Amino acid sequence: MQWNSIDALLVLLLSLFGIIQLFYYIFFFARLAFHKRVKPIDANPQIPVSIIICAKNEEANLKKNLSKWFNQQYHKNGFPFYEIIVVNDNSEDDTFYFLQEQKKIYPNLHVVHLTQSAKLIPGKKFALSMGIKASKFEHLLLTDADCTPASSSWLACMAHEFESQKEIVLGYGPYIKYKGWLNKKIRFETLHSAMQYLSFALAKNPYMGVGRNLAYHKNLFISNKGFSSHHHIVSGDDDLFINQVATKRNTSIVIDPNSFMYSEPKQSNEYWRFQKKRHLSTGKYYKTKHKVLLGLYAFSHFSFWVLLIPCLIFHAWWIVTLSIFSLRWFIQWIVFERCCTKLKEEDLINYIWLFDIWLVAYYLQNVSTIFFKKQTTWK
């Protein structure tokens, strides 16, 4: 094979991966970028909700956030139209005593104290299952002890989607903004993941949700036997369950800024990488169609950047290569800019080009996580 034919082959492959990337941006991500809410939130709620939080040694976070969860504007006839269930999962701090005191203040606070761990069920799936079992209402809203609602309308925004006969509601769980590259990196990865699972849901192909901000029917959990199909896996109480039960008809999303649930980001790169590897390890259990769609997106992104430099070096094809890159970049910028704006991550817009390159290293760094997983605790 002569060098000119090799040049043509490389440019042809670059074009192919560029087209695949454009397909994802136009067919999937643009749905989120241009998504518009059309249903106003009813000030008079019709659906009672059980909020469930699992807590393991979370006394400090419960002291910080409990009052904010109880500050939700979700009342009927002057009374709270919701309950909050906190599952105290074998905590060794003073969570037990704190919650006992709080029950005197909040009559709609219910506490489930666990004093033994479930054998062969790692992670928080057993604790969450006990919380769901104890709930009084059919509609469940899940979050974590370290999460802070963006507003007093969080519950109303999420519960409103149930009125359209949906069984699953996917929300957004961003991280609090701080200075520094690590914080931007964590928030971009969270944004990028949200672009995927929210856009796929809008395209009638939902595949995951995040436990920081997720709602579904209690009967959906019971009829699918809860986490029984993957109870041996540490993670997956959110994404694997949704991957199992979500359909094109029963799932909705909420991206109203009032519905966001903020979390404190990790303060070290080591801890964040550990957290991401734990979450990413569940991907190998997704349905085949979702593994193919997500894998093709990541592979085309990685391959596009790997081929770009050698294609630019070959002078005979540099105009074609630059044209392909420019088209991809133009579409990508529009979609990312609008997604950043909708999800209130505007400060990340100017770093899109840098993070787009960083994702190449991110894919390489985490590819082995799909095949190896030994972590057995959730805290």
Side-chain angles (χ1 to χ4, degrees), residues 290-302:
H290 297 135
K291 288 191 289 187
V292 170
L293 283 170
L294 295 169
L296 181 60
Y297 169 69
F299 181 73
S300 63
H301 187 171
F302 175 83

Side-chain angles (χ1 to χ4, degrees), residues 244-259:
Q244 175 187 349
V245 302
T247 69
K248 63 181 180 181
R249 294 185 179 89
N250 72 353
T251 305
S252 182
I253 75 165
V254 178
I255 56 170
D256 187 321
N258 290 315
S259 72

